[in-house]
Amino acid sequence: MLTGPEFGERPACADEDPELFFPESGQVAQISEAKTVCLSCPIRRACLSYALQHGVQGVWGGTTEDERRAMRRGASSRKAVA
């Protein structure tokens, strides 16, 4: 996932199999396991921000693609109302 000095600390996913974070549709147990890794990550917010800005696939920052899509829609709705 995200590594390097621009993100500060080492991500919790660094020692995990990257495939864990790219589950096939409907693999609920794998998604849950990936999100559990993210819960303890020191760069979770930076990871989520990156994912929201770049439209990446998989579990990033403890969220799925569908969850991030909903977050972006919510942000767009709030801007339209303002």
Side-chain angles (χ1 to χ4, degrees):
M1 300 316 214
L2 302 177
T3 59
E6 67 271 20
F7 295 104
E9 299 182 51
R10 181 176 168 83
C13 61
D15 294 324
E16 299 290 333
D17 180 353
E19 292 298 317
L20 174 64
F21 300 92
F22 298 95
E24 296 293 323
S25 180
Q27 292 182 321
V28 177
Q30 184 176 345
I31 292 168
S32 179
E33 186 178 347
K35 286 181 167 188
T36 298
V37 172
C38 294
L39 285 175
S40 65
C41 187
I43 66 161
R44 181 178 177 189
R45 286 189 175 155
C47 183
L48 176 56
S49 177
Y50 178 88
L52 287 167
Q53 292 174 10
H54 294 92
V56 297
Q57 297 180 334
V59 176
W60 288 70
T63 63
T64 63
E65 294 169 56
D66 289 340
E67 291 166 337
R68 292 190 301 276
R69 199 172 2 267
M71 292 169 111
R72 286 190 296 269
R73 275 196 305 266
S76 294
S77 296
R78 285 189 297 276
K79 285 180 184 176
V81 173

